[in-house]
Amino acid sequence: VNSVKVALGERSYDVHIGPCAREMLQACNLRAGQVAVVADQTVADLHIDKLRSLLPDSTLVLTFPAGEASKSLDRAREVYERLGQARIERSGVIVTFGGGVAVDLGGFVAGTWLRGVRLVHVPTTTLACVDASVGGKTAVNLSAGKNLVGVFHQPIMVIVDTDFLATLPERDFVAGLAESVKQALVRDRAFFDWQETQIGTLRARDAGAISELIARGCAIKAEIVSQDEREAGLRAILNYGHTIGHALEQLLEYELRHGECVGLGMLVENALACARGVLARADADRIRDLLTKLGLPVRLPRPVDPGEVLQLCRLDKKTVGGALQFVLISGIGQPVRAADVTGPEIAAALAAIR
Ligand SMILES: NC(=O)c1ccc[n+]([C@@H]2O[C@H](COP(=O)([O-])OP(=O)(O)OC[C@H]3O[C@@H](n4cnc5c(N)ncnc54)[C@H](O)[C@@H]3O)[C@@H](O)[C@H]2O)c1
Ligand SMILES: [Zn+2]
């Protein structure tokens, strides 16, 4: 088992990576309080027996329908009502079980139930293993936009049992890889080079390659988050690809996966950086090549209106005083901030994914 420490003073925790949920959950001493699992229905159907066998008999399992639509205040309210009926107290623990949607919904509930109870993530998608389960961001969506309501609430432990990934559909497996490409592009050139050499092993879900991918991705995220837990500065580099990515996710009405939109967002933002003379064409081509070979889409499934993309970018949390602030890259592993990105620049850059 590989461990990655997230150093946050008294809120520090470990990410355990390996095929051994049993030892890890015992180590976590969940028996100290009541346990409520907030689980994706699809994941629960496949794997709840295994998780249940590791938890107290009295464990309450609450499921939500799979999909982004479950990141809603309505769903959160349903979970609160169930927690209330079961009298889950301050000493209780919420365990999330599923992908990024479970992390965000279950984490949001854990951060607000009785003003905050202990939280453990057991992520089951590549995206949640490599990215969402580390860092303490939680959120639900509004019709006005994605992730507009949320709290920072760190877990006390993250348990990545890579055996759960075996049942993940190909498309979701691949979508999550976009986040590890992103992590490499903003922080770790060697990790990018490594991913280029591991395309075959990753796509074949080689256990060693997957564990290394998750450990390296979590280590990058842990290092960034421990310096800037609440995104006062440095942490914003992780939003690379996301300003455009989130806009596409919403405009396409969640027809594409989050990771797929992040991949497309990076391509558009790279085109914008190339047009500004910030990024070399050769680097942009290399990134497009890696995303293509990993199996990520590099074109939109249907056209989007550039004006609507611009409008959604303006609603993004990263906007300051109406001015569009993007994180671009000037090379592999080198993030740069770009202030005052304009509508025409975005419209031109969207051609990269048409
Ligand atoms: N909190 C954060 O820091 C953070 C970071 C990145 C992304 N996110 C959020 O994460 C969400 C996307 O996460 P995701 O891509 O994991 O999506 P997801 O949680 O919707 O999971 C994708 C699909 O895979 C299924 N699934 C999950 N695990 C499975 C398994 N082991 N076997 C079979 N099927 C399985 C789910 O039922 C779902 O249909 C977005 O809402 C995004 O905004 C949050
Ligand atoms: Zn993301």
Side-chain angles (χ1 to χ4, degrees), residues 35-290:
V35 178
V37 179
V38 176
D40 177 303
Q41 183 68 58
T42 303
V43 177
D45 288 345
L46 290 162
H47 300 294
I48 200 66
D49 291 345
K50 175 170 174 179
L51 188 67
R52 260 193 182 287
S53 72
L54 311 174
L55 294 168
D57 292 341
S58 61
T59 296
L60 178 72
V61 176
L62 309 175
T63 58
F64 62 83
E68 182 76 21
S70 282
K71 277 178 53 172
S72 70
L73 286 169
D74 287 346
R75 251 341 135 194
R77 187 199 167 99
E78 243 172 66
V79 179
Y80 295 139
E81 297 289 359
R82 299 282 306 277
L83 295 174
Q85 285 155 15
R87 304 246 174 276
I88 301 294
E89 300 172 354
R90 302 280 295 267
S91 60
V93 179
I94 289 182
V95 176
T96 72
F97 193 40
V101 170
V103 167
D104 279 349
L105 173 69
F108 177 70
V109 166
T112 47
W113 177 250
L114 306 179
R115 300 198 185 88
V117 295
R118 288 178 298 165
L119 171 66
V120 173
H121 292 307
V122 182
T124 66
T125 63
T126 37
L127 183 138
C129 291
V130 85
D131 185 357
S133 62
V134 176
K137 279 193 183 177
T138 77
V140 294
N141 304 330
L142 298 181
S143 41
K146 229 182 114 74
N147 298 339
L148 289 181
V149 181
V151 288
F152 283 99
H153 189 62
Q154 299 291 346
I156 57 167
M157 179 173 284
V158 179
I159 293 167
V160 180
D161 184 330
T162 43
D163 285 349
F164 290 130
L165 292 174
T167 55
L168 189 62
E170 174 75 4
R171 184 172 172 190
D172 293 293
F173 182 87
V174 166
L177 301 178
E179 297 279 13
S180 33
V181 173
K182 174 204 76 179
Q183 291 166 333
L185 287 174
V186 297
R187 201 62 172 172
D188 188 343
R189 188 186 176 92
F191 187 35
F192 184 89
D193 295 344
W194 178 83
Q195 289 181 56
E196 284 184 324
T197 69
Q198 300 295 318
I199 293 163
T201 52
L202 289 170
R203 294 208 65 179
R205 305 195 192 190
D206 171 82
I210 291 174
S211 293
E212 183 166 352
L213 182 90
I214 295 170
R216 290 176 81 159
C218 288
I220 291 170
K221 187 135 186 213
E223 182 254 334
I224 293 169
V225 167
S226 60
Q227 289 182 57
D228 179 21
E229 185 179 7
R230 295 191 165 227
E231 204 168 304
L234 176 69
R235 187 170 177 170
I237 64 176
L238 294 170
N239 296 327
Y240 164 61
H242 281 66
T243 309
I244 294 290
H246 280 160
L248 296 177
E249 223 180 326
Q250 292 169 69
L251 271 180
L252 296 168
E253 291 166 321
Y254 300 101
E255 169 188 330
L256 291 188
R257 304 289 192 267
H258 173 75
E260 293 172 339
C261 290
V262 170
L264 292 171
M266 293 192 290
L267 293 173
V268 174
E269 293 178 16
N270 287 354
L272 202 155
C274 287
R276 283 190 170 200
V278 168
L279 177 68
R281 192 72 258 164
D283 281 338
D285 288 344
R286 213 178 136 190
I287 295 162
R288 190 185 191 95
D289 198 45
L290 176 60

